[in-house]
Amino acid sequence: MSDRKTGSEPADGTLLASFRAGDAQAFDQLVERHQASLLRFATSLVREAARAEDIVQEVFLRLLRKGPELGSEDSAGSWLFRVCRNLAYDTMKMETRELARRERLPVAESKTPDDVHADKEVLDLVGREWQQLPEREREALWLKVHEGLSYKEIAALLDIKAGTVGWLIHEAMNRLTTQLRRAQAI
Amino acid sequence: MKDQHMEGHDENQDPSMEQLLTTYLLGECDEATAARVEQALAADDLLRARKEALEEVLGLLRKNAPEAPASLAPERREALRAEALAAAGAPSEDHAPAATRPPWWQAPTWRMAAGLLIFGGAIALWQPWTGDSVNMRPGYEASGPAVSGRSSEAKLSDLGYAGPENESPSAENSPATPGRAIPGNTDSLDMLGKDKNQDFLGQIQHNPASGAGGDAGGVVGGLEVDRVWSNDAEADDVRARTENILDEYKQRLPAQEVTPQFGFLIADSADLVHSLQPEFEYEVEEILLDPAVGGVSTPSTPAPGSPASSAAPMEGLAANPKREANRQPEALRRDVFGAPSTVQEDASGGRFAGEEADELAGDDLRGLASLGYSGGGGGGAFDRENRASSGYVVIDGYGRRYHNEQILNHLHRQERERPSDMFFRYYGDNAAVLTTTNPLSTFAADVDSASYALSRAYLVDGNVPPKAAVRTEEFLNYFDYDLPVATEDDFAVYMEGGPSVFSREPRQLLGIGVKAKEIAADARPAMNLVFVIDKSGSMEGERMQLVKDALELVIDQLKEDDTLGLVTFDSHGHVLQESIPVRERYKLRRAVRSLSTGGSTNAGEGLALGYEMIEQVFDPKRINRVILASDGVANTGETDQQRILADVRSRAEAEVDLTTLGVGMGNHNDVFLEQLADQGDGSCHYLDDFAEAKRVLVDDFLGTLVTVGRQLKIQVEFDPQVVQRWRQLGYENRSLTAAQFRDDSVDAGEVGSGQDVVALYELDLMPEADAEATLATVRLRWIPEGASEAVERSFPMTVGELTGRWGLTSKRLRLAAVSAQLAETLRQSWHARGDDRELLASEAERLAQEWKEQSEVAELRDMIRRTHSLLPRYAAEDELTQLMEEVRWMNLRQAEIEQLQEGQDQQEDLLEALRLQNAALETRLQELLQGR
């Protein structure tokens, strides 16, 4: 869902227009371009690969049927991200969110790289606290840390001000730090 | 949390050094700021320590990303390619001509309240229920057909919407120009771009003549406000944007009743509302914004950057007293509790827009519980996690939040509110009702077992289920109590009572067991069954295997001349196997084995095909039933959900029932699946594993599929001379008004062959109650299968029939009591606070021994153990909480006395009227006697 595109490739807007004009292959390119980041994001929320794939597939189906109007240089990233997020939340439903706020959620396997200093328990704790972050904070932080987007890009994606992004991330980091300190994990 | 934690933040405030530090670490600082930060770091030890902590956290976060697939599975890509080929070059649905979408006021299931819009700046804020099931129980649909006394023809102009000038509502208005707001036009509508929204709001002129705000409060122009978009794409877009606006709103109105969980809607047409609103199971709370600056600022702090200058001032709104009243959540809730007629007329519930009820019939308030209010997560607790910057937040029994002064407000009795409703509003649990105020307990039978299985799944995973997912009645009804079968009638009723051992006060526990007659397997009518099977990608693996196994079980149970058909659905519906007699088992099994997965979830098409298939073999002398098996249909768009539910309901009335099976949904409670079963006159089951599948489809095959009685309602009457207070355990959202007991149009539960329906009451007896006195009278009312007239029976029980000692009561009553106690504990019910855990555990152990042949009872014991290990013990609370409790109790007692007084006043009035009438009659008589 990065808004960046490499050099000479056509922008999403152009691809989408081509598709609507009859070029089915153009759509495939869109899928190719965005699927990885959408899958990452969806998995971070629903914590299950199959469900995440379900969701991402649905996102693309919606793009197909009721996609946004884009200028030729526009990216579909924002739109895709929003649809994906909303679908993921719908899937998770209210009580799961409530649950996430109050209880533990089984945390999906975390990537444990070669750095063996990362204690499994600490990672689990991080995972749990992550789940308990308020949605908006979590999203902003996710986009920064895992997708490497700039505040400006995040602001565009979430349709908020860059200043708000900074604040959200700050709040999120605050919470995490406090909780981890309490648990003496850091 | 920092001491200065604020829910919102002010753009204008300088970010603190701490915030800058975060920005710096994330590489988002410019050079100058970076230099500042580095300088500060050099000078400040604490800041350096914090920097290290933050870096550590960032490091951990980076490591903690769940494994995600790098790409969609090949089948999915193929499916997408196929769709793309089909759709390439076809006009997208955005461009569908206006004519194809019916105007919202003609949509069959819609009346206005789909909620609307905010002209004149009234914005409804939703507060989502903490529990979905609350919204979705029969009768109450937050997004469902709204009932309103107003004519559904209210146009936008009625709402005070004068509309942006120079907009011509033309059918050709192409959505290619987003941002255009066309009043009255049911199409176009994407005017929710943020800037455009502010523009738009700025252009609204309030039209005082329209009476906007003059109707039932909480609503502009009599319409309730809700969310709506015109199509899915816009939905997502709009939601994101409105959330953004909410952010800004929160920044500028810190003292409002707004929490991160509020969402809200700004939309322009009811059509927009119509198709989107059901997406979000939110409740409406009201809030009015000053739209003078685009709706998101207070007069004193104009929104930076907003086109304030272009906004026309909203005359008359500030002065509108209704608008002031609407600032209180009380006002809206009174409306939600309003118009008793709406409660009865519309069994499917929904928003109660419109009419302010002059008189709130007590019963109808309670009836709301039947419409889905089973208590949100709050139960009167302080929300310690999300404390507002300026104090405390309390969550009530509906999951609503109150800040500060509002806390006190919400504790007060609402106008004519019944104490039992007040209790429910506080805690989300049933109250112990004072019998003199209400001697009748009425409810609809329920044989769903999903809640028990779902809770079990949560516990197995090491989690506590959310309150609204734990339904005590489903815990009660999960077990087979081995009650003797009814021989003459459709139902046999058993009553037993004894001391309530879990209660801290001396109370009696009354158990009522209703046992349906059993249809012998060889005497049952032949069946036409159609399975509608979800084969979307997420069903892959264990879940589909479970469905296949379940199907094999069913095929084994069926007889030669029963018919079975198979329909599947992914992104579309497919016929897997036409309906054929079961004697062709080989074909059926082959079809079952061929089930594969992949694709999305289009339950609507699946059901449509399923019903079509049944139509072809429909036989009024047979059982005709569709069975839907899925791991979750929650993704179905709300408009579709409404349509599907309406369809399912009409099919059920045409004698094709629907049973739903939730398969391996993990911890997700799929409310739509339950609604489907409710409307479809069937039951909803949650199959978490093969054992449960076997239990539902083999052991209870006849119970699940062969209905014996429809619309079963139960009413229990207590004598105030004997029973001082009564409390029902469970059935919070199955309760009915006394009047609804005999209203045969009100949908209740269907009971299958040999099934049990169990109810429990905790009773406070009057001292010195006579042994001969009637303790309770139980009335049953149902429509026998194949009949059209309802049948009613009643069963009394005397005080003398109560057992003297708990230990001497039957294992049936004790099983019910223990199961209910587990439910109450899991729900963290007010009544179960501080109850004796060891006692529960030991009673469960005893039962496990006594019910050796039922492994479910041993499992119950294990669930209890797990629950105790997961839930912290109820701890004595701090002074503040205790004080709150006392205030609540004082208010409740006061309400009770007031209610008695009101009752007396009413009687006085009646008496007075009688006296006058008598006097008039006597005068006349005297005249006649004296020959005049």
Side-chain angles (χ1 to χ4, degrees):
Chain A
M1 69 196 106
S2 162
D3 280 4
R4 310 183 197 108
K5 62 182 196 325
T6 53
S8 55
E9 287 169 23
D12 290 346
T14 310
L15 285 175
L16 201 56
S18 298
F19 165 67
R20 287 185 179 145
D23 177 6
Q25 212 274 331
F27 188 79
D28 205 46
Q29 277 184 272
L30 281 170
V31 174
E32 195 59 49
R33 181 176 286 168
H34 291 284
Q35 64 173 347
S37 54
L38 286 177
L39 283 166
R40 279 198 293 274
F41 183 65
T43 312
S44 79
L45 290 177
V46 298
R47 301 262 153 193
E48 235 196 274
R51 277 198 115 87
E53 284 196 58
D54 242 3
I55 288 168
V56 172
Q57 189 167 7
E58 183 64 30
V59 171
F60 285 121
L61 279 173
R62 290 192 184 192
L63 179 64
L64 205 79
R65 294 185 192 134
K66 306 167 186 178
E69 295 293 334
L70 291 178
S72 60
E73 285 306 308
D74 286 348
S75 163
S78 297
W79 188 90
L80 288 169
F81 171 78
R82 282 199 288 267
V83 176
C84 182
R85 178 192 57 185
N86 293 338
L87 279 176
Y89 284 139
D90 285 346
T91 308
M92 287 159 66
K93 285 279 178 181
M94 222 64 69
E95 23 189 34
T96 312
R97 272 182 266 179
E98 188 61 35
L99 185 70
R101 287 201 320 112
R102 290 192 265 133
E103 315 282 354
R104 298 178 38 169
L105 266 190
V107 174
E109 290 307 300
S110 22
K111 274 191 280 210
T112 3
D114 307 326
D115 179 19
V116 294
H117 288 171
D119 189 22
K120 174 88 174 36
E121 277 183 21
V122 171
L123 280 178
D124 281 349
L125 176 62
V126 171
R128 284 201 297 279
E129 291 305 322
W130 170 264
Q131 291 283 0
Q132 291 185 23
L133 287 175
E135 283 167 23
R136 316 233 352 110
E137 292 180 18
R138 190 172 57 212
E139 280 164 17
L141 190 53
W142 167 271
L143 290 171
K144 183 72 207 151
V145 172
H146 290 108
E147 295 294 325
L149 300 184
S150 72
Y151 280 13
K152 267 185 64 181
E153 288 167 331
I154 296 175
L157 209 55
L158 296 181
D159 213 5
I160 54 181
K161 293 195 169 62
T164 313
V165 175
W167 179 76
L168 285 171
I169 289 181
H170 173 65
E171 283 298 305
M173 288 297 295
N174 235 2
R175 280 179 214 266
L176 290 170
T177 311
T178 309
Q179 290 303 102
L180 288 173
R181 269 189 178 150
R182 276 204 195 129
Q184 307 198 320
I186 52 167
Chain B
M1 273 344 298
K2 284 192 332 180
D3 290 348
Q4 295 119 311
H5 172 70
M6 299 268 291
E7 278 293 354
H9 80 292
D10 188 337
E11 272 294 302
N12 293 332
Q13 223 178 50
D14 269 341
S16 64
M17 183 47 69
E18 285 195 12
Q19 185 170 348
L20 283 178
L21 181 58
T22 311
T23 322
Y24 168 77
L25 284 175
L26 291 170
E28 287 281 338
C29 271
D30 58 42
E31 275 185 42
T33 324
R36 266 178 66 199
V37 173
E38 279 157 10
Q39 226 175 25
L41 280 171
D44 187 346
D45 280 342
L46 278 177
L47 199 63
R48 270 202 303 282
R50 184 166 177 85
K51 169 174 176 285
E52 279 169 27
L54 285 175
E55 279 171 332
E56 232 184 299
V57 172
L58 279 173
L60 285 170
L61 279 178
R62 289 187 179 110
K63 291 192 191 111
N64 186 59
E67 280 299 337
S71 59
L72 288 170
E75 322 74 88
R76 294 180 187 265
R77 288 297 297 270
E78 269 315 308
L80 281 173
R81 279 186 201 112
E83 289 277 347
L85 268 173
S92 94
E93 291 175 28
D94 279 348
H95 303 275
T100 59
R101 208 175 306 171
W104 63 271
W105 55 84
Q106 284 172 21
T109 53
W110 271 89
R111 317 257 212 95
M112 318 199 307
L116 212 260
L117 207 245
I118 290 95
F119 313 86
I123 296 196
L125 286 200
W126 270 277
Q127 180 180 15
W129 292 120
T130 50
D132 297 331
S133 56
V134 168
N135 291 333
M136 304 303 212
R137 296 305 280 172
Y140 183 78
E141 173 49 72
S143 53
V147 182
S148 161
R150 285 175 66 81
S151 146
S152 56
E153 247 94 61
K155 304 287 197 301
L156 289 178
S157 53
D158 289 353
L159 307 175
Y161 177 48
E165 263 115 50
N166 307 322
E167 291 296 11
S168 51
S170 64
E172 79 200 51
N173 173 64
S174 151
T177 46
R180 182 85 69 103
I182 314 293
N185 186 309
T186 58
D187 270 339
S188 67
L189 302 199
D190 173 18
M191 33 72 75
L192 293 166
K194 183 162 49 128
D195 326 302
K196 309 212 164 48
N197 181 53
Q198 291 179 339
D199 280 341
F200 173 66
L201 284 178
Q203 288 168 40
I204 295 173
Q205 321 244 315
H206 176 63
N207 179 359
S210 76
D215 289 324
V219 149
V220 174
L223 288 189
E224 281 198 306
V225 187
D226 218 317
R227 285 165 88 153
V228 171
W229 345 108
S230 66
N231 63 43
D232 286 345
E234 291 179 15
D236 303 311
D237 228 337
V238 164
R239 174 157 64 172
R241 292 171 192 220
T242 53
E243 279 172 359
N244 175 40
I245 294 177
L246 180 61
D247 278 347
E248 295 198 355
Y249 171 78
K250 280 190 285 184
Q251 292 163 36
R252 290 171 185 84
L253 292 159
Q256 292 299 316
E257 195 191 10
V258 170
T259 76
Q261 286 185 326
F262 273 128
F264 69 88
L265 162 71
I266 301 179
D268 170 71
S269 93
D271 181 53
L272 202 47
V273 172
H274 162 60
S275 45
L276 284 181
Q277 183 264 340
E279 290 270 305
F280 313 109
E281 287 131 34
Y282 291 140
E283 254 307 281
V284 172
E285 288 287 316
E286 85 307 353
I287 219 161
L288 295 180
L289 300 185
D290 181 344
V293 277
V296 290
S297 67
T298 54
S300 51
T301 48
S306 81
S309 50
S310 65
M314 306 293 309
E315 284 171 13
L317 273 183
N320 185 341
K322 256 292 194 281
R323 185 166 173 245
E324 283 311 304
N326 291 341
R327 289 190 188 279
Q328 302 295 332
E330 318 293 324
L332 182 63
R333 267 177 279 106
R334 241 172 267 134
D335 296 326
V336 170
F337 291 142
S341 58
T342 64
V343 175
Q344 264 120 19
E345 273 164 45
D346 184 357
S348 63
R351 271 295 139 57
F352 304 97
E355 327 288 70
E356 184 90 71
D358 286 333
E359 196 181 286
L360 301 174
D363 271 350
D364 299 303
L365 278 179
R366 200 69 194 98
L368 268 173
S370 73
L371 303 175
Y373 289 68
S374 83
F382 278 107
D383 182 358
R384 295 181 194 280
E385 285 179 37
N386 280 322
R387 273 182 55 168
S389 60
S390 42
Y392 295 90
V393 179
V394 168
I395 313 172
D396 75 1
Y398 292 122
R400 293 189 166 105
R401 294 179 144 74
Y402 305 96
H403 296 193
N404 309 322
E405 325 65 72
Q406 292 157 350
I407 294 178
L408 280 177
N409 278 342
H410 105 278
L411 290 175
H412 295 154
R413 181 188 184 207
Q414 292 173 0
E415 205 180 302
R416 310 274 221 114
E417 190 180 22
R418 292 190 313 175
S420 52
D421 296 317
M422 207 166 149
F423 184 96
F424 192 86
R425 185 163 60 78
Y426 284 165
Y427 300 113
D429 298 310
N430 278 340
V433 180
L434 197 57
T435 315
T436 43
T437 63
N438 182 8
L440 295 168
S441 166
T442 317
F443 59 99
D446 177 275
V447 293
D448 289 348
S449 62
S451 173
Y452 187 88
L454 190 67
S455 302
R456 177 173 61 203
Y458 272 105
L459 288 173
V460 162
D461 275 352
N463 296 312
V464 173
K467 185 178 175 103
V470 180
R471 291 195 274 283
T472 309
E473 65 275 14
E474 295 189 20
F475 274 61
L476 282 171
N477 292 329
Y478 184 77
F479 296 93
D480 174 7
Y481 291 91
D482 203 25
L483 289 166
V485 199
T487 42
E488 303 136 3
D489 227 340
D490 290 338
F491 296 106
V493 173
Y494 302 92
M495 298 167 70
E496 184 182 354
S500 173
V501 72
F502 297 115
S503 159
R504 288 178 294 275
E505 313 292 322
R507 295 195 172 106
Q508 299 291 317
L509 193 67
L510 172 65
I512 299 166
V514 177
K515 175 84 173 180
K517 75 177 177 202
E518 273 177 11
I519 310 278
D522 46 14
R524 67 156 169 87
M527 288 190 195
N528 290 333
L529 293 182
V530 170
F531 262 78
V532 175
I533 302 155
D534 181 347
K535 67 183 280 286
S536 68
S538 57
M539 289 286 291
E540 197 201 312
E542 277 178 27
R543 294 173 188 178
M544 184 48 92
Q545 190 54 48
L546 189 52
V547 171
K548 289 184 181 178
D549 292 339
L551 276 168
E552 297 272 4
L553 290 174
V554 169
I555 292 174
D556 289 338
Q557 304 289 311
L558 292 174
K559 295 193 267 195
E560 305 291 279
D561 61 349
D562 292 329
T563 70
L564 178 62
L566 302 170
V567 164
T568 62
F569 63 94
D570 45 32
S571 325
H572 295 287
H574 315 280
V575 171
L576 175 62
Q577 172 60 57
E578 291 290 346
S579 196
I580 51 177
V582 171
R583 76 175 66 89
E584 299 187 59
R585 282 172 215 270
Y586 174 63
K587 258 198 203 159
L588 289 166
R589 290 197 213 273
R590 201 174 49 179
V592 168
R593 274 172 217 151
S594 77
L595 278 166
S596 62
T597 59
S600 179
T601 308
N602 189 339
E605 268 189 42
L607 277 173
L609 274 181
Y611 280 119
E612 235 183 78
M613 201 182 270
I614 276 261
E615 280 291 290
Q616 287 158 16
V617 293
F618 181 83
D619 180 344
K621 292 197 291 299
R622 291 180 166 224
I623 291 167
N624 303 281
R625 189 179 285 267
V626 171
I627 302 173
L628 171 68
S630 166
D631 67 339
V633 284
N635 268 357
T636 314
E638 242 335 283
T639 338
D640 294 331
Q641 281 197 14
Q642 291 313 308
R643 223 179 343 112
I644 295 171
L645 284 172
D647 193 36
V648 163
R649 181 75 219 136
S650 62
R651 297 284 188 169
E653 279 159 16
E655 313 270 316
V656 179
D657 294 336
L658 174 71
T659 299
T660 60
L661 306 174
V663 184
M665 295 181 298
N667 291 344
H668 304 284
N669 184 22
D670 194 311
V671 180
F672 185 43
L673 267 184
E674 290 177 42
Q675 276 189 299
L676 283 169
D678 272 330
Q679 292 299 306
D681 278 356
S683 48
C684 174
H685 302 276
Y686 176 44
L687 309 182
D688 48 351
D689 57 20
F690 184 72
E692 187 65 18
K694 189 165 165 298
R695 198 190 75 85
V696 170
L697 297 171
V698 176
D699 303 334
D700 203 17
F701 177 75
L702 292 170
T704 307
L705 297 178
V706 182
T707 308
V708 150
R710 294 176 179 273
Q711 319 279 51
L712 176 63
K713 299 186 204 126
I714 302 174
Q715 185 174 72
V716 184
E717 180 166 0
F718 297 101
D719 183 347
Q721 309 285 2
V722 175
V723 176
Q724 189 178 53
R725 284 183 190 275
W726 56 269
R727 171 172 79 92
Q728 182 173 30
L729 281 76
Y731 294 94
E732 284 89 355
N733 59 350
R734 305 290 291 173
S735 86
L736 301 169
T737 66
Q740 287 175 312
F741 182 62
R742 294 203 172 87
D743 181 352
D744 295 328
S745 67
V746 170
D747 191 23
E750 279 58 52
V751 183
S753 160
Q755 287 187 326
D756 298 319
V757 179
V758 172
L760 275 187
Y761 288 88
E762 201 175 60
L763 307 175
D764 272 299
L765 296 188
M766 293 295 245
E768 324 279 318
D770 186 40
E772 297 295 311
T774 304
L775 178 70
T777 307
V778 174
R779 292 187 195 103
L780 251 57
R781 190 178 170 89
W782 74 97
I783 300 177
E785 185 66 356
S788 51
E789 293 295 310
V791 157
E792 195 175 311
R793 301 271 181 276
S794 69
F795 309 84
M797 175 170 171
T798 61
V799 173
E801 292 174 67
L802 287 169
T803 310
R805 299 213 339 244
W806 165 258
L808 295 178
T809 56
S810 75
K811 64 180 186 178
R812 294 184 185 118
L813 180 64
R814 283 182 287 111
L815 175 58
V818 164
S819 183
Q821 182 66 7
L822 172 61
E824 299 259 292
T825 308
L826 271 175
R827 271 174 68 93
Q828 299 178 69
S829 159
W830 186 89
H831 302 281
R833 290 179 181 183
D835 276 356
D836 190 338
R837 292 186 165 194
E838 283 67 37
L839 181 60
L840 181 58
S842 64
E843 286 299 321
E845 182 60 49
R846 179 181 170 197
L847 285 171
Q849 301 303 322
E850 289 176 307
W851 287 93
K852 276 230 157 64
E853 65 288 4
Q854 273 202 50
S855 59
E856 287 89 351
V857 182
E859 187 182 64
L860 175 66
R861 175 203 52 203
D862 296 336
M863 279 172 65
I864 290 173
R865 270 193 208 134
R866 177 61 68 92
T867 302
H868 287 163
S869 74
L870 289 174
L871 270 180
R873 279 184 196 263
Y874 180 72
E877 288 156 330
D878 58 24
E879 192 189 331
L880 181 58
T881 317
Q882 283 178 357
L883 197 54
M884 278 275 300
E885 275 299 286
E886 280 186 42
V887 172
R888 286 191 187 109
W889 276 98
M890 288 301 117
N891 273 291
L892 282 169
R893 289 296 146 258
Q894 189 180 321
E896 276 181 350
I897 295 172
E898 281 170 7
Q899 190 183 37
L900 285 172
Q901 185 63 42
E902 280 155 19
Q904 270 185 354
D905 290 344
Q906 273 182 349
Q907 287 185 339
E908 295 262 347
D909 291 339
L910 269 174
L911 202 53
E912 190 53 36
L914 258 173
R915 285 196 192 108
L916 286 172
Q917 226 182 358
N918 274 349
L921 282 171
E922 280 184 21
T923 313
R924 185 69 195 120
L925 185 58
Q926 191 163 39
E927 285 171 6
L928 288 174
L929 287 171
Q930 287 167 357
R932 284 203 291 254

